[in-house]
Amino acid sequence: MKKDSRLTRAKLETYSSEELLDIADEYGIDAPDDLNRQFIIGDLLALADEMEDKERKKEKEPIVLSEGEQEAININVLPESYNETKINAVLQNPVSLFVWWDLSEWTLKKIHADRADLRLAVYFFDSLESEKPCDTFDIQISLEDREKYVIIPSPKKIARVDLLSQAFDQSDILAHTQKIVLPKGGAIMAAKPGESLNASRVMELSGAAELLRKHYNKYRQSFY
């Protein structure tokens, strides 16, 4: 007979004397074969109370981690900030970039002191060697923002994103990404407001059309 998940008097009373002896044996209780069944039930109930008491105490005890376990947890938990002013960008899909950045404590203090605003400046170049951009547009961001999806509005070759602070007429570059080579054309890359989007089924399922519509509503100047 297997150990009972919970020993109660009502349940134990339903067992025969022989079954009670088997249960007692499984729980390590040495009971003579001729012992009165009520004594066996009493021993089992006392053991059950003792086991429940140990479980309650165990639940209240604080979990103590070894040095190795705590170190593993610390490694897997990323900090909210690395206290470094930096910006990065990767292609999310052929028509959009995912941009994320961080601000150091010193940079944040300077922004507050200058009462500056933050923005992203998205530049497009004809080649990796080009120093002068062929097109650009800005996106206003808040001090709390740390990431942004940026639509690539029309066929472009190279992109770079700068993180800027703007105080009155003074604009400072806080950080910038590397130049990113963009994928070549396709119907979705040449999409314009008011025109039918002749995209593949896969591109339609990606939600690119809805993404373009939202981008046009917020940053329509970048389509011209």
Side-chain angles (χ1 to χ4, degrees):
M1 181 176 294
K2 293 183 179 179
K3 287 185 179 181
D4 228 316
S5 58
R6 180 174 174 79
L7 298 175
T8 64
R9 180 173 291 279
K11 188 177 291 186
L12 291 173
E13 290 286 4
T14 63
Y15 296 132
S16 67
S17 296
E18 185 178 346
E19 289 173 328
L20 288 173
L21 286 170
D22 289 341
I23 296 173
D25 184 59
E26 291 198 27
Y27 279 98
I29 298 175
D30 187 16
D33 293 344
D34 58 350
L35 186 65
N36 186 291
R37 61 182 283 110
Q38 293 304 320
F39 285 111
I40 301 175
I41 291 174
D43 287 344
L44 288 170
L45 291 176
L47 179 62
D49 289 341
E50 184 181 339
M51 292 171 62
E52 286 184 11
D53 188 52
K54 286 182 179 179
E55 285 297 321
R56 283 194 294 267
K57 289 181 179 179
K58 187 176 181 181
E59 290 175 0
K60 292 180 180 179
E61 290 177 359
I63 298 174
V64 180
L65 299 177
S66 67
E67 186 176 341
E69 290 172 330
Q70 186 61 55
E71 184 177 347
I73 290 175
N74 293 338
I75 290 174
N76 292 324
V77 176
L78 296 177
E80 292 184 4
S81 173
Y82 288 94
N83 198 28
E84 182 179 5
T85 300
K86 196 171 184 179
I87 186 170
N88 294 282
V90 294
L91 274 170
Q92 183 201 20
N93 54 48
V95 297
S96 67
L97 294 170
F98 176 64
V99 186
W100 74 101
W101 59 93
D102 193 10
L103 297 169
S104 68
E105 186 177 349
W106 183 89
T107 301
L108 282 170
K109 287 181 179 178
K110 188 174 187 305
I111 291 171
H112 283 296
D114 296 341
R115 296 184 179 180
D117 295 322
L118 287 179
R119 58 190 175 93
L120 299 178
V122 185
Y123 297 100
F124 297 101
F125 302 86
D126 289 326
S127 69
L128 288 171
E129 292 75 27
S130 299
E131 295 185 5
K132 186 177 180 181
C134 60
D135 198 5
T136 182
F137 66 88
D138 290 356
I139 300 174
Q140 198 75 28
I141 56 176
S142 71
L143 280 175
E144 291 73 31
D145 289 335
R146 287 296 180 270
E147 60 185 44
K148 206 78 173 177
Y149 291 96
V150 177
I151 293 290
I152 303 167
S154 58
K156 302 293 181 183
K157 296 180 181 179
I158 310 293
R160 190 188 79 205
V161 184
D162 290 5
L163 179 62
L164 306 178
S165 67
Q166 181 81 41
F168 301 103
D169 295 331
Q170 180 68 33
S171 181
D172 294 322
I173 299 176
L174 302 177
H176 62 80
T177 68
Q178 298 294 320
K179 287 182 177 178
I180 302 168
V181 179
L182 304 174
K184 293 184 179 179
I188 191 73
M189 301 291 285
K192 297 292 181 182
E195 296 180 0
S196 297
L197 184 62
N198 184 23
S200 67
R201 180 60 177 160
V202 171
M203 192 61 75
E204 288 178 4
L205 292 173
S206 73
E210 178 65 13
L211 200 60
L212 284 171
R213 184 187 67 79
K214 290 181 179 179
H215 183 72
Y216 174 70
N217 289 336
K218 287 187 176 182
Y219 314 111
R220 61 188 66 197
Q221 72 275 11
S222 65
F223 281 83
Y224 300 104

